[in-house]
């Protein structure tokens, strides 16, 4: 790759793109809401939330000095991230708390980028994160899921028009923002059916000697605050 091409790519990455039309922003928000509320589509689209959830566990585990052994994504849209280190302390607490907070916070970060016009940076950044995560996937379904997601982001960013890129970027961010609370609702319902105490909230309760319900409330609060703040950035003024 010659210097001119590198310079052109850098300009494209750091530059800004025109704001999409108001109808596109509204339409992608409605599509994201439908994808979250519909049981039929949620069974498929929830895989994206699982990627963000387990990626959040893995990223914070690494940032807090834990050893990340691997990540598994399953066909029932569940996942598992295995890390080694102290079984208690701030690093373990942050790692356990990162799962349910990662999707809405990633959506909020994406909304900040889009509000500043950095559509290309969002698409390429998401592709880079997926490629990094791919290295840590330890099962075939997980590899397939992440490869498909990565290929989709890459194809949209390189092969489609600016309008399609904007629509895809806004749809992805809206989906993370709108869909941030539904997994928490599923967690709350699942705890009533499964008394094994293996959920993230139960684990956090044991680590911090606090009620697990308090952590569920925190997850809800982060999802709601992210949605409100993200919507203020995304919706036309």
């Amino acid at each position: 790759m010659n210097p001119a091409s590198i310079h052109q790519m850098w300009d494209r990455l750091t530059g800004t793109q025109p704001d999409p039309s108001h109808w596109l922003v509204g339409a992608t928000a409605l599509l994201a809401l439908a994808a979250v509320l519909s049981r039929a589509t949620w069974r498929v689209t929830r895989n994206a939330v699982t990627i963000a959830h387990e990626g959040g566990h893995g990223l914070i585990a690494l940032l807090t000095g834990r050893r990340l052994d691997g990540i598994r994504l399953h066909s029932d849209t569940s996942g598992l991230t295995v890390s080694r280190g102290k079984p208690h302390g701030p690093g373990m607490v942050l790692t356990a708390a990162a799962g349910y907070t990662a999707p809405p916070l990633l959506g909020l970060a994406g909304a900040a980028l889009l509000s500043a016009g950095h559509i290309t940076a969002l698409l390429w950044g998401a592709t880079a994160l997926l490629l990094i995560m791919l290295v840590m996937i330890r099962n075939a379904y997980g590899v397939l899921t992440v490869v498909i997601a990565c290929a989709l982001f890459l194809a949209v960013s390189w092969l489609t028009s600016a309008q399609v890129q904007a629509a895809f970027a806004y749809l992805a961010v809206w989906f993370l923002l709108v869909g941030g609370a539904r997994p928490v609702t599923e967690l709350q319902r699942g705890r009533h059916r499964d008394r094994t105490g293996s959920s993230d909230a139960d684990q956090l309760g044991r680590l911090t000697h606090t009620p697990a319900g308090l952590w569920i409330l925190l997850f809800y609060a982060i999802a709601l605050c992210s949605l409100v703040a993200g919507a203020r950035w995304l919706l036309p003024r």
Side-chain angles (χ1 to χ4, degrees), residues 57-70 81-96 136 203 207:
H57 281 313
L59 176 62
I60 299 303
L62 291 174
L63 291 177
T64 56
R66 299 180 62 80
R67 178 177 176 181
L68 183 59
D69 285 345
T81 298
V82 179
S83 63
R84 283 191 282 176
K86 290 183 179 180
H88 51 77
M92 187 61 201
V93 171
L94 290 173
T95 298
M136 299 308 303
Q203 184 181 11
L207 287 169

Side-chain angles (χ1 to χ4, degrees), residues 45-222:
T45 58
R46 197 189 190 284
N47 283 286
V49 176
T50 303
I51 291 174
H53 179 113
E54 300 304 331
H57 281 313
L59 176 62
I60 299 303
L62 291 174
L63 291 177
T64 56
R66 299 180 62 80
R67 178 177 176 181
L68 183 59
D69 285 345
I71 298 172
R72 291 178 176 269
L73 306 175
H74 304 135
S75 58
D76 63 355
T77 71
S78 65
L80 176 66
T81 298
V82 179
S83 63
R84 283 191 282 176
K86 290 183 179 180
H88 51 77
M92 187 61 201
V93 171
L94 290 173
T95 298
Y100 284 97
T101 58
L105 290 178
L106 283 172
L108 184 61
L113 284 173
L114 293 182
S115 68
H118 294 295
I119 296 173
T120 300
L122 184 142
L123 295 174
W124 289 8
T127 303
L129 289 175
L130 288 167
L131 286 172
I132 294 171
M133 185 177 178
L134 182 61
V135 178
M136 299 308 303
I137 299 295
R138 295 293 182 265
N139 67 321
Y141 182 82
V143 169
L144 177 63
T145 303
V146 175
V147 166
I148 290 175
C150 187
L152 184 58
F153 273 91
L154 193 60
V156 168
S157 64
W158 281 100
L159 303 177
T160 64
S161 65
Q163 188 81 346
V164 173
Q165 291 177 24
F168 182 79
Y170 271 80
L171 179 61
V173 169
W174 275 122
F175 177 76
L176 290 174
L177 290 172
V178 175
R182 180 157 183 175
V184 185
T185 302
E186 295 171 347
L187 166 66
Q188 186 177 16
R189 292 174 180 171
R191 289 186 67 248
H192 293 298
R193 295 192 301 267
D194 182 8
R195 299 292 183 176
T196 61
S198 59
S199 72
D200 289 358
D202 289 298
Q203 184 181 11
L204 284 163
R206 290 191 296 269
L207 287 169
T208 59
H209 307 289
T210 57
L214 183 64
W215 288 96
I216 293 177
L217 287 176
L218 178 63
F219 295 157
Y220 273 127
I222 291 174

